[in-house]
Amino acid sequence: FHTLFVLQVENVKLLDRYTNKKAANGTLYLTATHLIYVEASAEARKETWILHHHIATVEKLPLATAGYPLLIHCKNFHVAHFVIGQERDCHEVYTCLLKLSQPVKPEELYAFSYNPKMSKENREIGWKLIDLKVDYQRMGIPNDYWEITDVNKDYEVCNTYPPEIVVPRAANKAVVIGSSRFRSRGRIPVLSYLYKENNAAICRCSQPLAGFSARCLEDEQMLQAIREANPGSPFMYVVDTRPKLNAMANRAAGKGYENEDNYDNIRFKFIGIENIHVMRSSLQKLLEVCEMKSPSMSDFLTGLENSGWLRHIKAVMDAGVFLAKAVKDEKASVLVHCSDGWDRTAQVCSLASLLLDPFYRTFKGFMVLIEKEWIAMGHKFSHRCGHLCGDPKEVSPVFTQFVDCVWQLMQQFPCTFEFNERFLLEIHDHVYSCQFGNFLGTCHKEREDLKIFEKTHSLWPFLLQKKQELRNPLYRGFTAYKELQPNTLPFSFQFWCGMYNRFDKGMHPKQCVLDHLLSCVSQKVKLEDSASELENKLPFLDGPLPSDACPLPKVGPAASKTPMLNTPQGYEGDPPPALSNGAAGGDGDVLSDVDQRNKENLSPPQDLHGDTIEVLDSEAKEGKPRHH
Amino acid sequence: FSLQEIHIKEPIEKQVNPHLLPGELLLCEANTVYKYIQEDGSNRGTYGKLVCTNFKIAFLDDESASDDNEPQLKNKIVGENDITLQCVDQIYGVYDEKKKLLTGQLRKYPEKLIIYCKDLRVFHFCLRYTKEEEVKRIVSGIVHHSQTPKLLKRLFLFSYASAAPSNTDGRNQTMMFDTLEDWRDELERTKGNVKYKAVTINEGYRVSEKLPLYFVVPICVSEENILKYEGRGIPIWCWSCHNGAALLKMSAFPKEQDDSTSQTQKAFLDGIYKTISKAPYELLKTDDLSSSLPSLQDIQTAYTRFKQLFLIDNSSDFWTTDVKWFSLLESTNWLEIIRRVLKKAIEVAECLERQHTNVLLIEESATDLCCVISTLVQVMMDSYSRTKSGFQSLIQEEWAIGGHGFFDHCSHLHKSDKEEAPVFLLLLNCVWQLVQQYPPAFEFTETYLTVLSDSLYVPIFSTFFFNSQHQKDTNTSGESFKTQSGPFRFLTVWDWSVQFDPKAQAFLNNPFYAEKPKPDKSQRKTTRFKHQRQLSLPLTTTKSSTKRGFFREETDHFIKNILGKRIGKLINSSDEPPNSFREFYDSWHSKPVDYHGLLLPRIDGPEIKVWAQRYLRWIPEAQLHGGGTIATAAKILDLMEEVQSLQVKMDEEHCQAVSGDVHSVPLLRNSARLSSLFPFALLQRQSVKPALPTSTWKDLEVEDDLVKRDDEFVDLTSDMP
């Protein structure tokens, strides 16, 4: 690993605001990528690792009795309070961290030096794990109304959109180009999600350059094409997610919003989600509440309310619910935009998809959703997360809010997500960590220019490796729930301790229910294995002569339904790790297998035995208990 | 608005009769009453008959609801549209769209009746289509019978007890603490019998009518002393910790004007403290709860404000709270009171567990906050109190027999509102915080706590009815009741079969309970009391031995100290707890939880939550389809059931003739579609489409395969280096 220390400082204390215990002395190391603190005096060696990219601010506090305090706030809400013995050391650490945590050039980001010792082929496969075309196919696209076009292949229409976009078939190239001239930064209306059951679509774009009276025939035709792609509805919604005042202010700058008179059969709506600056300061206020030591009810509740954070979360959720209802209940298509269509629009569209489609609530689906609505469609991760030294006013917790909304849904519907809270936290961490290439830059073009597909790794395969600890043991499977109708009354929104107070050990149960449940699930699998093993033995006992000549007995009916872990003989005294995956053995050629499956994504599975989907899923699908 | 404007089905004249309990009498009734469905102000509803009996107000639906619409947790005594007279909180009449509180004599009769219930239901009845005569009769009847004071013996408890067949056995594992033996068993269970004894001195209520017939005091306290001030100033034993430290409570002397009296009392107390501070007794700490916790008045005020947030006329009220929700919640102060009470309980636990000192709780009556703290401390420290029978025994010991003034605090007679104080509800709210923080530690569910809180207002049980054992005893004898020869046989609430059939009772048991290995079932009778004690937490090395040595030498000095500082100042009652408290709290939380050991609630602001089930269960707007805690519970039930059936299958395979002891719950199949209000209401029936239209199943199957395949793919990639 990185054995090269940039700096090593002895006699450093790490304070814990939750205990009054005297902090022990330790050593602080700075490497090229991490700050590492090792508490030496404790009986057990305790290490605290902080990635430089996670550091949001470093502050020198006034001299305390124990030494020179250095307060570090991290983007993943870790707050570390060090006390350093010598002033010189303190200053040196301070200046070093400032430099290390604020890289100037993209090449300095961790992802370009991160080397997990993976073969080139594997890395490439990792990048191919998510294929958005497959998701569009899942929605039935291309079809009579929608097509995937490469009109943007040279980024001529829009340089922040991906090369391939989905537009109505009825919108020809002239319409697309014309519309792009009338939309801020050329971000024309494109399809985000098609609700197959009634053809209603969610589309997204940026604000029109309408000013006070400007019109654009092609843009009007574009909207008409979208509306007519859903023959079931005589109208479509156009949703501006900004507060009305903000949208009106934009008119003076030649931007603004659609005039209902100019477009046929549109219903125009404002949904007041505040802008990135309001959100940034709201989070700041929330974090101040989080940093209170042992807050009283009054401190907490008033602080929470004054921060407005949950109110903003609610606004995003309300918008998502509106979209989902429009599509499902009113069968109407919706076009969503904000200003540039990459912040609020991304939040709202991805949330609506999550509400409508259970696929997005699976591991794979959630990755697809983030790749599609956030990464491909050009959310400015680099600016919003402050990856590089830049304008602090561009930083805003837009993605954090989306993740918070998803968590709120998980709270309301504990059995509907395949993954658990830790999965969200992992993703949130890595959006800031710059360890993987996925979230670098601002759009597909920039990522190509940075050569991230050649030089860095994708996050998703790494998360899938950890799937066991990230799964939701309560998940009822894919078909148990379809659309979600979350409650958006104010009391339904909870403060997410696990996110904002995640590193304050004093605030979390030590032995959480999640672990307990995960162990329950593995117990079940173990029992099922033993049962099938016993059943396999039965034929021998019943038969005339038990013979060792046949190592693979006929598999009984129960066994065929249970996940086959290894060869049944293997786990007499020593069961394999529960819920381990089917390919635990030495499949020599993983790669070709993966490739093959990738291509076959739409055909039904042929090999039932290799089907290692967990029992929970299949049971929920059958809708009845299987043990009778 | 006008009712004529909207479409209302013509009322069907049909004879429906109320189902009456033994001893229940129909007092008045009115036909063609229109009951609104609460939620949306759409004026939807049903016609029916409104009746008032000496037990309840009931609405009888003309189109008697089909059975499949009944809630899962059906109460056999109180139906969906029944309001027991005890459960009525306030009644409002609507005159020309103006709401007026109805009390006493009425001169004008309203066109609409709104009844707010103590279990937080709200009923709206329209009387416009009812004959004027009937309106007069029913409104004045309801107001009279639910709002005006009555003679004690006219209350339904007695009518029911004299008319109901006394066949319920009521024997369960709950200790009733009405016999000397129960107290001795409890002493033995907690190994308190070395230093404490159960006394019979109050037989015939010689000492005090407020004290139970039997109670436990330190062995060294003399009968003479107990008798001297009617039991005041006497430390009464609540519970002994595994290390021998005990939790005690004491009824304080009222403030005396007379100097010499207070001097004598002080001297008396000095003597008592001196006696119980000698070896073998531990160091003593006292805590005057009346100064260190909010007053009953504060608690009542806070709760009144708090419940107002949920007693809403229609959903639009609810939406208006939008931006102010958290400050509204904060301004009620209810959650802060819960937090302070929990904190106090942790402080007491710290003294017992770590400092190894006895704790004496002092309060004027020793039957209000003393009960709350004592119960909470035991729930936190004694895992037996977290089983159903243990918790029930505890409530019986501390509250029912202990002499909490249920009769006055629940205002059963409607004499005056001043006495009303939700002390027991406060306890249940605190216990709920623990239950939701540590679900596997409790044998019962939050639903259990909710129905327990509802049972306060079901006047067929004596458990939560009287002020004291004395009041119960004197009223049980039935002397003044000529019709009744023998004494009344009252029901206990712990016999859950009275209210719920076995299927519904399953909701009270926590499937997630991390049960301890059970002793053999055949020995149940004896094991009942032999519930094993746990060494709750091997904390930092105990300093007790040195402390006690120190203490023996310094006894006199110590006692001077107590008295010098006045009673109750030893436990720091300021809001900033002493360091030892925080250290104890932090140190416990930094270790893994033993669900059968000491359990400390987390009490930082974000951790104290609103008991959603109790407060939101009747609000349709608050429901989630396929969500909420019930979804989790249902899923866990399924999982456990499956594990069990697998276990059974395994046993069969092993040819061990162990019969399947699967006490599984045969409910909640297809529970994905349950409402979060389940099991209390099925209000969603009007308002939504099915969550999963059958026509879409086919499509889903296809997508389903896709997901499966994704998983396959996933499994392979996880092998990547």
Side-chain angles (χ1 to χ4, degrees):
Chain A
F1 222 86
H2 307 274
T3 43
L4 226 77
F5 299 130
V6 178
L7 190 68
Q8 175 175 350
V9 181
E10 304 290 341
N11 202 13
V12 179
K13 292 186 175 72
L14 175 59
L15 304 187
D16 181 345
R17 71 189 166 105
Y18 277 93
T19 54
N20 298 313
K21 261 190 285 175
K22 255 199 158 169
N25 261 330
T27 312
L28 189 102
Y29 302 93
L30 296 188
T31 74
T33 53
H34 287 84
L35 175 159
I36 305 165
Y37 174 75
V38 182
E39 200 176 290
S41 57
E43 57 276 11
R45 192 181 145 92
K46 212 175 96 191
E47 291 181 9
T48 307
W49 288 55
I50 296 173
L51 189 65
H52 294 325
H53 289 310
H54 272 157
I55 294 175
T57 60
V58 190
E59 281 170 82
K60 283 200 286 186
L61 300 183
L63 177 67
T65 46
Y68 296 86
L70 196 64
L71 187 62
I72 299 176
H73 280 94
C74 296
K75 293 167 179 172
N76 59 353
F77 311 118
H78 190 175
V79 181
H81 194 161
F82 290 106
V83 179
I84 300 174
Q86 299 295 317
E87 186 176 15
R88 239 190 51 209
D89 288 342
C90 180
H91 188 73
E92 203 173 345
V93 172
Y94 174 76
T95 44
C96 256
L97 282 180
L98 278 190
K99 216 165 66 206
L100 288 167
S101 64
Q102 301 253 301
V104 181
K105 282 182 281 179
E107 297 77 43
E108 295 171 46
L109 294 170
Y110 187 20
F112 292 101
S113 60
Y114 175 60
N115 180 12
K117 310 242 163 32
M118 181 191 269
S119 73
K120 185 164 171 280
E121 290 81 8
N122 273 348
R123 191 185 61 198
E124 278 164 14
I125 287 157
W127 280 114
K128 284 177 193 149
L129 182 62
I130 306 295
D131 183 353
L132 297 185
K133 265 195 174 157
V134 175
D135 195 48
Y136 291 123
Q137 278 172 31
R138 206 179 55 86
M139 297 176 204
I141 295 172
N143 62 15
D144 292 350
Y145 301 109
W146 296 94
E147 62 178 356
I148 304 175
T149 158
D150 62 354
V151 65
N152 196 35
K153 63 178 183 293
D154 300 317
Y155 303 106
E156 276 166 359
V157 178
C158 170
N159 60 4
T160 55
Y161 271 173
E164 288 180 330
I165 49 181
V166 180
V167 293
R169 260 185 209 284
N172 57 32
K173 192 166 180 185
V175 168
V176 168
I177 302 285
S179 173
S180 78
R181 304 229 162 90
F182 191 64
R183 291 278 164 184
S184 177
R185 298 175 201 271
R187 294 173 65 88
I188 54 160
V190 294
L191 181 118
S192 151
Y193 179 70
L194 179 66
Y195 190 65
K196 238 186 351 186
E197 269 140 59
N198 60 19
N199 278 321
I202 296 175
C203 299
R204 53 183 289 177
C205 59
S206 62
Q207 63 184 335
L209 304 176
F212 291 99
S213 57
R215 289 183 66 163
C216 169
L217 187 64
E218 289 91 343
D219 194 60
E220 287 160 26
Q221 285 169 342
M222 179 63 126
L223 264 67
Q224 187 185 352
I226 291 173
R227 178 170 52 81
E228 286 171 354
N230 176 16
S233 171
F235 72 95
M236 72 183 277
Y237 281 109
V238 175
V239 171
D240 189 330
T241 54
R242 297 170 293 184
K244 190 173 181 184
L245 267 179
N246 301 20
M248 283 166 69
N250 264 297
R251 286 203 297 191
K255 299 167 187 171
Y257 53 92
E258 291 81 356
N259 184 339
E260 262 180 300
D261 299 337
N262 297 344
Y263 295 84
D264 288 337
N265 297 313
I266 66 162
R267 293 190 189 167
F268 188 84
K269 285 252 180 218
F270 285 112
I271 298 180
I273 303 175
E274 298 290 348
N275 64 28
I276 57 168
H277 311 294
V278 176
M279 301 308 190
R280 183 177 54 241
S281 85
S282 169
L283 180 64
Q284 193 49 46
K285 286 183 203 149
L286 181 79
L287 294 179
E288 281 160 25
V289 179
C290 295
E291 281 179 48
M292 282 194 281
K293 188 176 169 175
S294 176
S296 71
M297 279 328 286
S298 175
D299 293 341
F300 174 68
L301 291 173
T302 44
L304 189 59
E305 177 162 305
N306 292 338
S307 78
W309 182 253
L310 289 183
R311 207 159 62 237
H312 299 313
I313 297 295
K314 174 174 153 52
V316 176
M317 189 77 96
D318 275 332
V321 170
F322 175 84
L323 258 59
K325 276 195 177 154
V327 164
K328 183 178 171 279
D329 297 341
E330 297 189 67
K331 303 180 175 64
S333 292
V334 192
L335 175 66
V336 188
H337 67 74
C338 45
S339 297
D340 290 315
W342 52 41
D343 291 318
R344 290 169 272 209
T345 302
Q347 289 176 330
V348 169
C349 289
S350 46
L351 204 56
S353 303
L354 207 55
L355 292 174
L356 287 168
D357 193 334
F359 171 66
Y360 295 124
R361 304 193 285 262
T362 64
F363 277 107
K364 181 78 180 282
F366 196 67
M367 295 172 184
V368 169
L369 188 66
I370 290 178
E371 280 284 344
K372 183 159 64 94
E373 297 300 322
W374 294 84
I375 296 174
M377 297 308 289
H379 174 67
K380 302 201 293 178
F381 280 108
S382 177
H383 297 115
R384 296 293 176 256
C385 305
H387 288 163
L388 296 169
C389 189
D391 183 1
K393 286 211 172 70
E394 280 282 301
V395 175
S396 186
V398 178
F399 188 76
T400 305
Q401 285 183 319
F402 166 66
V403 174
D404 196 324
C405 286
V406 178
W407 180 82
Q408 302 287 349
L409 288 176
M410 286 164 95
Q411 293 307 294
Q412 294 197 19
F413 303 98
C415 307
T416 58
F417 287 85
E418 191 186 7
F419 45 86
N420 65 41
E421 171 186 81
R422 292 173 195 164
F423 183 62
L424 298 181
L425 293 173
E426 284 279 348
I427 293 176
H428 188 262
D429 270 359
H430 285 300
V431 163
Y432 289 96
S433 74
C434 303
Q435 186 174 352
F436 297 96
N438 308 58
F439 307 106
L440 302 191
T442 56
C443 58
H444 194 268
K445 180 173 185 298
E446 198 179 330
R447 274 184 282 273
E448 272 185 351
D449 295 345
L450 288 172
K451 298 200 171 16
I452 66 145
F453 305 107
E454 292 100 76
K455 291 180 172 173
T456 72
H457 296 267
S458 167
L459 168 66
W460 309 125
F462 288 83
L463 287 185
L464 290 177
Q465 274 182 19
K466 292 177 149 194
K467 197 172 163 190
Q468 289 327 312
E469 52 186 292
L470 303 179
R471 75 169 60 240
N472 172 15
L474 294 172
Y475 185 48
R476 275 191 180 273
F478 187 61
T479 50
Y481 300 86
K482 197 136 191 293
E483 297 82 11
L484 301 184
Q485 303 175 4
N487 196 315
T488 57
L489 284 167
F491 62 77
S492 318
F493 292 88
Q494 296 179 40
F495 169 73
W496 187 5
C497 220
M499 170 78 114
Y500 308 106
N501 281 114
R502 180 170 150 209
F503 293 90
D504 298 317
K505 301 230 169 65
M507 314 248 327
H508 302 291
K510 278 287 151 286
Q511 210 167 339
C512 80
V513 173
L514 190 63
D515 292 325
H516 197 103
L517 275 175
L518 283 169
S519 73
C520 251
V521 174
S522 56
Q523 188 200 350
K524 196 186 83 166
V525 173
K526 214 164 87 187
L527 283 171
E528 271 179 330
D529 292 340
S530 315
S532 70
E533 179 204 352
L534 286 172
E535 251 172 71
N536 288 342
K537 281 183 180 167
L538 275 181
F540 293 111
L541 297 174
D542 295 343
L545 260 179
S547 162
D548 286 337
C550 175
L552 279 171
K554 242 192 331 190
V555 178
S560 68
K561 280 188 232 156
T562 52
M564 299 296 290
L565 296 191
N566 269 310
T567 49
Q569 284 81 358
Y571 33 91
E572 274 262 56
D574 184 16
L579 284 173
S580 73
N581 293 311
D587 284 46
D589 197 0
V590 176
L591 302 183
S592 63
D593 218 2
V594 171
D595 261 340
Q596 194 189 359
R597 276 160 210 278
N598 223 356
K599 282 173 208 144
E600 287 174 358
N601 245 346
L602 279 168
S603 60
Q606 284 140 16
D607 175 16
L608 278 173
H609 275 277
D611 169 21
T612 50
I613 189 159
E614 72 268 35
V615 192
L616 299 187
D617 286 21
S618 44
E619 166 152 77
K621 271 169 231 146
E622 287 166 24
K624 58 179 179 352
R626 77 150 57 101
H627 306 284
H628 279 298
Chain B
F1 62 88
S2 155
L3 277 176
Q4 274 75 20
E5 284 166 23
I6 54 145
H7 175 70
I8 290 175
K9 270 182 280 174
E10 280 304 303
I12 317 152
E13 284 295 337
K14 204 166 75 179
Q15 207 50 45
V16 258
N17 289 315
H19 167 74
L20 297 179
L21 293 174
E24 186 175 0
L25 300 170
L26 187 62
L27 299 172
C28 47
E29 61 179 32
N31 288 299
T32 44
V33 172
Y34 189 74
K35 174 179 166 281
Y36 294 107
I37 288 160
Q38 188 194 344
E39 64 241 69
D40 45 9
S42 70
N43 292 329
R44 279 182 300 145
T46 45
Y47 281 103
K49 185 199 263 184
L50 189 62
V51 303
C52 179
T53 74
N54 58 343
F55 170 61
K56 65 176 182 243
I57 300 161
F59 178 77
L60 309 163
D61 210 320
D62 283 345
E63 316 146 54
S64 51
S66 55
D67 286 336
D68 52 295
N69 270 342
E70 289 195 340
Q72 291 274 330
L73 192 75
K74 192 172 177 288
N75 192 310
K76 294 198 278 185
I77 304 295
V78 187
E80 209 183 346
N81 288 323
D82 294 349
I83 313 158
T84 66
L85 297 178
Q86 261 72 16
C87 190
V88 174
D89 195 2
Q90 285 182 318
I91 301 178
Y92 279 89
V94 177
Y95 302 86
D96 300 327
E97 316 231 340
K98 278 188 202 119
K99 265 168 70 177
K100 265 191 198 161
L101 187 67
L102 301 185
T103 44
Q105 286 294 319
L106 302 177
R107 265 170 285 132
K108 226 178 120 202
Y109 291 90
E111 61 231 36
K112 210 172 139 189
L113 202 61
I114 308 176
I115 303 180
Y116 297 96
C117 302
K118 289 182 180 168
D119 60 7
L120 299 150
R121 288 179 297 170
V122 181
F123 287 90
H124 291 247
F125 297 112
C126 174
L127 304 170
R128 227 180 259 192
Y129 309 100
T130 316
K131 291 190 193 104
E132 206 185 319
E133 270 312 295
E134 288 185 343
V135 172
K136 280 183 187 173
R137 244 181 295 147
I138 194 78
V139 174
S140 53
I142 286 177
V143 171
H144 176 78
H145 292 292
S146 66
Q147 305 273 288
T148 52
K150 272 186 234 180
L151 284 176
L152 173 67
K153 289 264 167 122
R154 300 292 293 273
L155 291 176
F156 186 67
L157 179 78
F158 298 97
S159 327
Y160 183 81
S162 51
S166 55
N167 56 1
T168 52
D169 176 24
R171 269 300 120 192
N172 49 39
Q173 296 199 19
T174 308
M175 290 211 282
M176 302 306 279
F177 288 94
D178 50 358
T179 62
L180 191 61
E181 197 203 354
D182 281 352
W183 288 99
R184 288 191 173 143
D185 287 338
E186 178 67 3
L187 266 176
E188 195 189 317
R189 184 183 76 83
T190 59
K191 301 194 180 67
N193 44 6
V194 190
K195 299 172 220 167
Y196 301 90
K197 64 178 178 197
V199 291
T200 56
I201 188 172
N202 202 27
E203 278 177 347
Y205 299 100
R206 273 201 304 148
V207 181
S208 163
E209 294 178 354
K210 287 179 182 152
L211 284 172
L213 216 46
Y214 308 103
F215 53 90
V216 176
V217 294
I219 287 179
C220 57
V221 171
S222 69
E223 294 213 340
E224 181 196 343
N225 276 340
I226 298 176
L227 281 163
K228 191 157 181 185
Y229 293 103
E230 299 178 336
R232 281 180 192 277
I234 298 298
I236 291 174
W237 176 89
C238 300
W239 180 73
S240 284
C241 183
H242 63 86
N243 60 14
L247 181 60
L248 308 163
K249 62 183 171 187
M250 184 172 94
S251 173
F253 294 106
K255 284 239 158 55
E256 278 292 343
Q257 299 300 321
D258 182 23
D259 219 32
S260 69
T261 320
S262 69
Q263 280 298 319
T264 349
Q265 287 173 353
K266 202 171 160 235
F268 176 77
L269 276 182
D270 285 359
I272 293 286
Y273 286 141
K274 202 165 178 172
T275 335
I276 64 161
S277 300
K278 273 192 209 128
Y281 295 98
E282 289 77 6
L283 191 81
L284 182 75
K285 287 205 173 186
T286 63
D287 192 345
D288 188 350
L289 296 180
S290 53
S291 65
S292 65
L293 284 180
S295 68
L296 296 193
Q297 190 56 53
D298 293 343
I299 294 169
Q300 167 70 4
T301 313
Y303 183 67
T304 310
R305 278 200 226 123
F306 178 73
K307 78 178 175 195
Q308 223 52 51
L309 296 180
F310 306 96
L311 281 175
I312 50 168
D313 287 338
N314 59 58
S315 49
S316 59
D317 285 8
F318 220 43
W319 286 101
T320 59
T321 64
D322 199 352
V323 284
K324 302 172 294 179
W325 171 253
F326 289 104
S327 52
L328 280 173
L329 199 58
E330 193 267 322
S331 68
T332 68
N333 207 34
W334 177 246
L335 294 183
E336 177 63 20
I337 288 178
I338 290 173
R339 183 174 176 271
R340 280 181 65 186
V341 167
L342 287 171
K343 193 157 138 196
K344 174 60 71 189
I346 299 174
E347 283 171 30
V348 172
E350 193 251 346
C351 291
L352 293 167
E353 172 82 38
R354 194 168 64 161
Q355 302 188 22
H356 203 264
T357 55
N358 286 343
V359 178
L360 177 61
L361 305 173
I362 301 172
E363 195 184 9
E364 187 171 332
S365 63
T367 54
D368 291 311
L369 294 170
C370 274
C371 300
V372 177
I373 298 298
S374 165
T375 309
L376 271 179
V377 168
Q378 294 180 56
V379 168
M380 281 157 48
M381 300 185 73
D382 189 342
S383 66
Y384 172 58
S385 302
R386 302 196 286 262
T387 64
K388 217 162 100 186
S389 59
F391 186 70
Q392 294 179 168
S393 303
L394 181 60
I395 300 296
Q396 193 67 28
E397 175 191 353
E398 291 289 340
W399 298 79
I401 295 296
H404 174 69
F406 283 107
F407 195 78
D408 293 338
H409 287 331
C410 296
S411 195
H412 282 326
L413 276 190
H414 296 287
K415 260 205 296 224
S416 74
D417 290 346
K418 275 186 196 144
E419 293 286 328
E420 216 172 318
V423 187
F424 188 63
L425 273 181
L426 175 63
L427 170 80
L428 294 183
N429 273 278
C430 292
V431 174
W432 179 84
Q433 302 291 338
L434 276 158
V435 168
Q436 64 101 23
Q437 288 182 15
Y438 305 103
F442 291 84
E443 195 187 30
F444 47 85
T445 56
E446 65 164 341
T447 306
Y448 170 86
L449 295 174
T450 303
V451 297
L452 189 57
S453 77
D454 290 342
S455 304
L456 278 173
Y457 317 112
V458 182
I460 63 168
F461 305 111
S462 61
T463 316
F464 302 133
F465 194 84
F466 294 107
N467 275 334
S468 62
Q469 196 181 5
H470 171 259
Q471 191 188 22
K472 183 185 172 191
D473 283 356
T474 48
N475 286 299
T476 306
S477 57
E479 290 156 32
S480 57
F481 241 62
K482 300 243 161 56
T483 52
Q484 179 74 16
S485 50
F488 292 114
R489 297 269 317 257
F490 296 129
L491 295 178
T492 162
V493 75
W494 311 127
D495 185 358
W496 291 104
S497 66
V498 175
Q499 292 190 74
F500 303 105
D501 58 29
K503 208 174 129 206
Q505 279 185 58
F507 289 104
L508 311 184
N509 301 325
N510 178 12
F512 204 23
Y513 179 52
E515 218 166 330
K516 276 201 274 194
K518 262 189 259 172
D520 198 295
K521 282 220 166 115
S522 56
Q523 303 164 5
R524 194 167 62 187
K525 178 67 186 138
T526 47
T527 52
R528 180 180 122 187
F529 306 117
K530 295 273 158 65
H531 204 278
Q532 291 210 335
R533 306 295 311 285
Q534 288 286 312
L535 285 180
S536 357
L537 180 73
L539 263 172
T540 49
T541 49
T542 83
K543 301 164 198 157
S544 56
S545 53
T546 54
K547 244 187 186 161
R548 278 174 69 184
F550 164 82
F551 168 66
R552 272 182 203 140
E553 289 155 40
E554 303 278 333
T555 306
D556 286 336
H557 172 70
F558 168 71
I559 287 177
K560 266 179 215 142
N561 229 340
I562 295 186
L563 303 172
K565 287 186 183 171
R566 285 200 70 242
I567 304 157
K569 295 298 173 195
L570 268 188
I571 292 184
N572 193 337
S573 57
S574 75
D575 204 53
E576 197 44 53
N579 266 352
S580 65
F581 161 82
R582 194 73 214 185
E583 217 182 297
F584 177 67
Y585 179 82
D586 290 336
S587 127
W588 185 84
H589 280 290
S590 66
K591 282 168 191 155
V593 180
D594 171 10
Y595 290 119
H596 298 291
L598 179 68
L599 214 57
L600 297 185
R602 280 167 280 136
I603 53 164
D604 287 323
E607 312 287 358
I608 307 293
K609 305 226 163 95
V610 172
W611 184 359
Q613 187 189 59
R614 178 163 202 272
Y615 297 104
L616 298 173
R617 63 191 152 142
W618 311 118
I619 303 175
E621 290 282 337
Q623 78 180 329
L624 295 165
H625 301 284
T629 49
I630 192 66
T632 312
K635 175 68 198 176
I636 292 170
L637 274 182
D638 284 359
L639 206 63
M640 312 272 281
E641 215 176 291
E642 218 170 318
V643 169
Q644 267 172 341
S645 70
L646 280 165
Q647 191 73 61
V648 169
K649 206 165 147 197
M650 294 280 297
D651 292 345
E652 280 167 6
E653 306 274 349
H654 281 121
C655 296
Q656 288 171 354
V658 182
S659 68
D661 179 31
V662 191
H663 42 84
S664 64
V665 194
L667 45 119
L668 308 181
R669 280 284 156 223
N670 273 328
S671 43
R673 273 168 269 168
L674 289 176
S675 147
S676 61
L677 302 187
F678 181 91
F680 285 97
L682 290 177
L683 290 153
Q684 78 273 30
R685 58 186 170 231
Q686 264 91 9
S687 48
V688 279
K689 299 145 192 143
L692 192 64
T694 42
S695 61
T696 63
W697 272 95
K698 212 159 183 237
D699 286 344
L700 281 171
E701 227 77 289
V702 178
E703 296 185 351
D704 199 5
D705 288 338
L706 201 92
V707 173
K708 252 189 223 169
R709 292 168 48 77
D710 286 335
D711 268 31
E712 268 176 70
F713 180 44
V714 162
D715 293 331
L716 285 160
T717 52
S718 56
D719 251 358
M720 295 202 323

